[in-house]
Amino acid sequence: MHSQTRDYFPYVGPFDPCPPIRVKTYQVPPQLFMTFQPENLPQYSPMEALKLGTLWPALFSPYDPRLSHLGRGHS
């Protein structure tokens, strides 16, 4: 399985007035890794699907607010 987390390194100018965030992180949606929807995909129960936001475990993407707020590698 591919990692859904990607990093990028923004340009840090020599005259930036704020301390730089050298590594920023974002999430890639899991459907980008599926070329087509295969038959007979496993499914969550209806209550679990409502709680997780998707019927299929293959399309579940957990949300980690720490990654979106600070970025990985931020000091």
Side-chain angles (χ1 to χ4, degrees):
M1 172 109 180
H2 298 280
S3 171
Q4 294 179 15
T5 303
R6 300 284 193 267
D7 296 332
Y8 71 97
F9 306 92
Y11 173 75
V12 177
F15 304 109
D16 286 345
C18 300
I21 298 175
R22 299 196 183 273
V23 180
K24 292 191 177 187
T25 305
Y26 63 98
Q27 294 290 106
V28 178
Q31 66 267 23
L32 295 179
F33 303 112
M34 296 180 103
T35 56
F36 61 94
Q37 184 173 346
E39 294 182 21
N40 301 320
L41 275 177
Q43 295 182 356
Y44 289 124
S45 69
M47 289 304 293
E48 196 171 13
L50 285 172
K51 186 170 78 170
L52 296 174
T54 184
L55 182 59
W56 300 281
L59 296 177
F60 175 67
S61 179
Y63 174 70
D64 187 354
R66 294 171 295 162
L67 292 178
S68 65
H69 177 65
L70 295 176
R72 205 169 23 182
H74 178 47
S75 56

